[in-house]
Amino acid sequence: MHTTTEKNADATVTTARAKTLLIGGGLLLLGGVLEAIGPFGWGELLEMSVLFPRLLVLSSAVVFAVGVGAGAALAGTRPLSRIALILLGFSSFVSLMAPDVFMLVVFFGYLVPPVILQPTVIITVAASALLPVAFAVIAGVSIGRARVMPNPWAWVPLPLLVLGVAAGTLQALIYSRLTPLTDSYAGARLELVHTVIPLLLGGLAMAVGLVLARRRAVSSR
């Protein structure tokens, strides 16, 4: 038998988790929508059409990592899990920075001996490609273990996060000419995957948040 205090505590946690999923999911879903329609709907504000959606994605990662109330942090309370989730949100800017990295490589290629430049480029490319995937794995596993989202939905973000990050990173490397792959159609297909994943994750978070909110409303009657 649960005491009244325990029931109130459970209700508070459920409410906090519902708010976290609804707010974070809403930000992520809005960021995905603006990312998809940005080049077509923003006109002259093209730079903002690129930056603003990714700021929304980063904001959603912060909301998910911190949580709106006790027991609502989507990836649990371990600092590594929270940091990985926030860095994962920040990694959405990698595809913006990759063309600039390419220009810097070209510029320094005239100044730095190849024996020094080549290892630097390899390390930079490897870090930009592998670190976001590592963040996605850590965050996805942490979300699954924390079970703030009820099963079986708790483990759904892991493959979606890894797929989305891998597609976005590879797309950035293709467009910045930091990989032998130069097929523009491949880049477009990867961009589609990278754009759809936030929509799926945001929609999932909001759907689960609505279910939790409904459960809370029913249990309070």
Side-chain angles (χ1 to χ4, degrees):
M1 294 289 293
H2 289 285
T3 65
T4 303
T5 302
E6 289 174 336
K7 289 182 178 179
N8 290 337
D10 291 342
T12 300
V13 171
T14 300
T15 300
R17 291 178 174 180
K19 288 180 179 179
T20 299
L21 290 168
L22 289 172
I23 295 172
L27 290 171
L28 186 56
L29 188 61
L30 180 59
V33 170
L34 292 180
E35 178 83 14
I37 68 174
F40 305 100
W42 288 66
E44 296 178 357
L45 300 177
L46 186 57
E47 291 186 5
M48 285 299 296
S49 73
V50 175
L51 288 174
F52 189 61
R54 300 184 190 209
L55 287 174
L56 289 174
V57 171
L58 176 58
S59 299
S60 72
V62 173
V63 171
F64 286 142
V66 176
V68 184
L74 199 61
T77 57
R78 294 176 56 195
L80 176 61
S81 303
R82 293 183 170 188
I83 292 172
L85 187 52
I86 293 173
L87 290 177
L88 180 60
F90 183 76
S91 68
S92 64
F93 290 92
V94 168
S95 59
L96 294 180
M97 295 184 290
D100 297 328
V101 172
F102 172 69
M103 294 305 297
L104 287 174
V105 169
V106 173
F107 175 74
F108 284 108
Y110 294 102
L111 305 177
V112 181
V115 67
I116 298 176
L117 180 64
Q118 188 171 2
T120 303
V121 173
I122 292 174
I123 292 172
T124 302
V125 172
S128 65
L130 296 179
L131 282 178
V133 176
F135 297 149
V137 171
I138 294 172
V141 170
S142 299
I143 291 170
R145 288 179 174 176
R147 295 185 181 179
V148 170
M149 298 176 69
N151 284 329
W153 308 112
W155 289 100
V156 173
L158 175 57
L160 291 178
L161 287 173
V162 173
L163 178 61
V165 169
T169 303
L170 186 55
Q171 171 209 344
L173 295 177
I174 289 175
Y175 287 162
S176 61
R177 303 177 188 177
L178 292 175
T179 174
L181 297 175
T182 57
D183 184 4
S184 59
Y185 292 104
R189 287 191 289 269
L190 289 168
E191 184 174 5
L192 177 62
V193 173
H194 184 57
T195 302
V196 168
I197 294 298
L199 298 176
L200 295 177
L201 288 171
L204 174 64
M206 292 195 70
V208 175
L210 288 172
V211 170
L212 292 179
R214 179 175 176 79
R215 288 181 184 175
R216 172 69 181 91
V218 171
S219 64
S220 64
R221 292 176 182 173

